[in-house]
Amino acid sequence: MANEEKTGGSDVFSVVEASPPDAIFAVKNAYAKDTDANKVNLGIGAYRDENGKPYVLNVVRKAEEFLVTRYEKGGVSKEYQKIPGDAEFVRLSQTLMLDPASLRSGTQTKYERVANGSMAGIQSLSGTGALRVLFNFIKNTLAKKNPNLRIFMSNPTWGNHKKIIRDAGLAPNGDMKQINTYPYIDTKTKTSLDFDGMIECLKTKPNAGDVILLHACAHNPTGVDPSDKQWEQIRAIMKERKLVPFFDCAYQGFSSGSLEKDASAVRAFADDGFDFLLAQSYAKNLGLYGERIGCASIMCQSPEIAKKVQSQLNGVVRPMYSNPPRHGMEIVKFVLADKANFASWEDELKKMSGRINEMRSALRKQLEEDKVKSPTGTDW
């Protein structure tokens, strides 16, 4: 039969064209294949120890040891979760952003709109999954009521943002080139914020109800964030023009070493009465890269509105992946729900963040001593 002519099938998939490889993961693959003993991985942003090896936080190791004991006692299972995931995990994640001091003290949050149920949310597949669910929510709700709704993102931004917006159906005619942007990095210095350009754009181009995608801290890929005073001006303009904030927060605590400082922009918008969307990730700050654990939240004006929003979030999740995985969620809950574990995590987080900053300073010093020119022609 092997040599006989095949007559029962048809060549269905020959029309499929190869998709271009993802640039970031292509670098990762190239690094893995490189045999040079002195190679250095400058691709995917994942924390490494002094030997260049992946690092598992001590509090994460402790969590996994604890979870093993709970299997025997029936406290943890591998059963399906509810569509939005674990409700306590969602509440803890929202509290981490808006009231980390209560987690530090082991008390219930007093942040009103979290405590009274005005913040809808779901457990997500890390930050990427949170972004996708929230953009799909926008497509199904806000964009349905306002077909002219537009998304504005910084130029530049994380490379995956455009693809997520496009695949959620929010790019005009499916063309990523048509996704709107606001100026962000100064084209002359390449190292400072083009605040004037950003403000001018927000004042003139978006219409009421348009969504502005903002990086809560550690802007990707530039690392340049607005100052507190600049955030204040951004808030004032967005309030005046009735623009909708959408925060992508992938680095809380990992950027500065302070959970409060890295969440200050989001908290200020919340304090100012804004409704907003929020994507959180535990990949960087808990080192849970492969667990794909995050949270997608929407701040509303009342618990009644939040219930309707929650139903729409659930409606996005059900046909997309039905319900989220358990393991990463259990680890995060172990850390956030116990003040001693939380303290251990904060201590490690500060050391990791501090070490990164020390290495950056050492690299700059060496580059300057060796008189290496910067790619932009400016000083380091």
Side-chain angles (χ1 to χ4, degrees), residues 247-278:
F247 289 100
D248 184 0
C249 187
Y251 301 96
Q252 186 184 1
F254 201 72
S255 175
S256 69
S258 166
L259 293 166
E260 274 87 357
K261 180 177 174 56
D262 291 347
S264 61
V266 180
R267 195 165 55 250
F269 272 79
D271 291 345
D272 212 7
F274 276 85
D275 288 349
F276 59 84
L277 304 97
L278 170 65

Side-chain angles (χ1 to χ4, degrees), residues 251-373:
Y251 301 96
Q252 186 184 1
F254 201 72
S255 175
S256 69
S258 166
L259 293 166
E260 274 87 357
K261 180 177 174 56
D262 291 347
S264 61
V266 180
R267 195 165 55 250
F269 272 79
D271 291 345
D272 212 7
F274 276 85
D275 288 349
F276 59 84
L277 304 97
L278 170 65
Q280 291 169 269
S281 168
Y282 291 102
K284 305 293 193 300
N285 57 14
L286 262 170
L288 299 176
Y289 306 99
E291 298 294 352
R292 311 312 295 146
I293 180 67
C295 187
S297 298
I298 300 179
M299 180 66 86
C300 307
Q301 289 297 314
S302 70
E304 292 73 27
I305 296 172
K307 287 177 182 177
K308 297 176 183 178
V309 169
Q310 185 69 54
S311 72
Q312 289 288 344
L313 289 174
N314 294 354
V316 173
V317 169
R318 177 58 173 154
M320 187 181 287
Y321 55 87
S322 193
N323 50 72
R326 281 185 171 272
H327 191 69
M329 172 273 293
E330 295 285 3
I331 294 172
V332 174
K333 279 177 60 177
F334 176 86
V335 175
L336 300 189
D338 180 275
K339 64 180 183 180
N341 295 333
F342 189 87
S344 297
W345 173 48
E346 275 202 292
D347 183 58
E348 280 193 90
L349 196 53
K350 289 174 182 176
K351 289 177 180 176
M352 292 163 68
S353 176
R355 178 169 169 265
I356 290 172
N357 288 327
E358 287 173 4
M359 288 191 293
R360 285 173 176 162
S361 298
L363 175 60
R364 175 181 174 177
K365 182 180 179 182
Q366 192 65 53
L367 289 168
E368 290 176 338
E369 288 179 355
D370 293 345
K371 295 181 170 51
V372 178
K373 292 182 179 180

Side-chain angles (χ1 to χ4, degrees), residues 124-340:
S124 66
L125 305 181
S126 202
T128 304
L131 288 163
R132 180 58 188 271
V133 168
L134 291 171
F135 277 121
N136 268 88
F137 166 86
I138 291 171
K139 174 66 175 176
N140 294 349
T141 57
L142 305 184
K144 192 173 182 180
K145 296 289 185 181
N146 176 15
N148 296 319
L149 181 147
R150 295 174 296 168
I151 310 293
F152 282 77
M153 61 185 189
S154 65
N155 181 24
T157 192
W158 180 45
N160 220 17
H161 278 151
K162 281 188 178 182
K163 298 175 185 177
I164 296 168
I165 293 169
R166 176 198 64 194
D167 289 354
L170 289 165
N173 303 314
D175 183 0
M176 288 196 292
K177 293 180 181 178
Q178 298 302 312
I179 298 173
N180 296 274
T181 62
Y182 55 85
Y184 195 80
I185 204 72
D186 190 301
T187 55
K188 293 181 181 179
T189 66
K190 306 289 186 183
T191 58
S192 59
L193 179 66
D194 181 7
F195 185 66
D196 291 341
M198 179 181 180
I199 290 298
E200 180 62 23
C201 177
L202 293 178
K203 282 181 176 179
T204 58
K205 292 189 177 180
N207 297 318
D210 284 346
V211 176
I212 313 299
L213 181 59
L214 301 161
H215 298 232
C217 65
H219 180 274
N220 185 352
T222 70
V224 177
D225 294 328
S227 66
D228 290 344
K229 193 168 185 178
Q230 288 171 332
W231 274 120
E232 186 177 345
Q233 294 178 64
I234 292 167
R235 287 199 312 277
I237 291 168
M238 290 186 66
K239 176 175 277 191
E240 178 186 347
R241 295 186 55 78
K242 298 180 180 179
L243 306 177
V244 181
F246 185 147
F247 289 100
D248 184 0
C249 187
Y251 301 96
Q252 186 184 1
F254 201 72
S255 175
S256 69
S258 166
L259 293 166
E260 274 87 357
K261 180 177 174 56
D262 291 347
S264 61
V266 180
R267 195 165 55 250
F269 272 79
D271 291 345
D272 212 7
F274 276 85
D275 288 349
F276 59 84
L277 304 97
L278 170 65
Q280 291 169 269
S281 168
Y282 291 102
K284 305 293 193 300
N285 57 14
L286 262 170
L288 299 176
Y289 306 99
E291 298 294 352
R292 311 312 295 146
I293 180 67
C295 187
S297 298
I298 300 179
M299 180 66 86
C300 307
Q301 289 297 314
S302 70
E304 292 73 27
I305 296 172
K307 287 177 182 177
K308 297 176 183 178
V309 169
Q310 185 69 54
S311 72
Q312 289 288 344
L313 289 174
N314 294 354
V316 173
V317 169
R318 177 58 173 154
M320 187 181 287
Y321 55 87
S322 193
N323 50 72
R326 281 185 171 272
H327 191 69
M329 172 273 293
E330 295 285 3
I331 294 172
V332 174
K333 279 177 60 177
F334 176 86
V335 175
L336 300 189
D338 180 275
K339 64 180 183 180

Side-chain angles (χ1 to χ4, degrees), residues 11-20:
D11 193 355
V12 176
F13 300 110
S14 62
V15 298
V16 177
E17 297 180 359
S19 178

